[in-house]
Amino acid sequence: MKKTYSLVLVGVMALVPVTRAVDRIVTNNAATGPGSLTAAINALNNGDRIVFHIPPEAGEVHYIQTPQDGYPLITKNDITVDGYTQGGASPNTNSIHATNSAALKIVLTSTNGNALSMQT
């Protein structure tokens, strides 16, 4: 006598929502507003990646100042913030004992005095 097995697992898997990771693109160096790093952080879902595609300027290095109230906390999982996606940027390819060869084009800075402490 042959045994028959049902595929209950397939039915259960069909009910699980599928979320796809997305690239959240930073297109300007403004502290807030559309295209800003703050907007990208606020739009994050689990597994997303923040990438940078800011149009080139004279100095080619983009300084992003901390917003007045600081950046929002990242509460999602498996997030990547990839500054090397900015045009002209490249990671270090030398050994740890050699001179750093990275070309940084994105700099997060709090020189405007808007840095916040994590302590309450």
Side-chain angles (χ1 to χ4, degrees), residues 102-120:
L104 303 179
K105 299 297 180 180
I106 299 293
V107 176
L108 304 183
T109 180
S110 293
T111 56
N112 59 0
N114 289 340
L116 295 178
S117 172
M118 293 296 288
Q119 300 174 357
T120 55

Side-chain angles (χ1 to χ4, degrees), residues 17-120:
V18 176
T19 56
R20 305 223 187 269
V22 221
D23 284 350
R24 304 295 176 176
I25 303 171
V26 178
T27 58
N28 63 61
N29 57 359
T32 59
S36 69
L37 178 56
T38 300
I41 293 171
N42 284 330
L44 287 172
N45 290 310
N46 291 336
D48 284 355
R49 182 173 77 138
I50 294 178
V51 298
F52 296 84
H53 295 293
I54 301 174
E57 293 177 4
E60 291 290 326
V61 175
H62 300 280
Y63 292 89
I64 301 176
Q65 294 284 344
T66 301
Q68 185 173 358
D69 295 327
Y71 288 105
L73 292 177
I74 295 176
T75 58
K76 303 302 181 181
N77 298 310
D78 302 318
I79 300 301
T80 301
V81 180
D82 190 352
Y84 294 117
T85 54
Q86 178 64 30
S90 61
N92 178 38
T93 55
N94 292 337
S95 73
I96 195 165
H97 298 291
T99 304
N100 188 330
S101 66
L104 303 179
K105 299 297 180 180
I106 299 293
V107 176
L108 304 183
T109 180
S110 293
T111 56
N112 59 0
N114 289 340
L116 295 178
S117 172
M118 293 296 288
Q119 300 174 357
T120 55

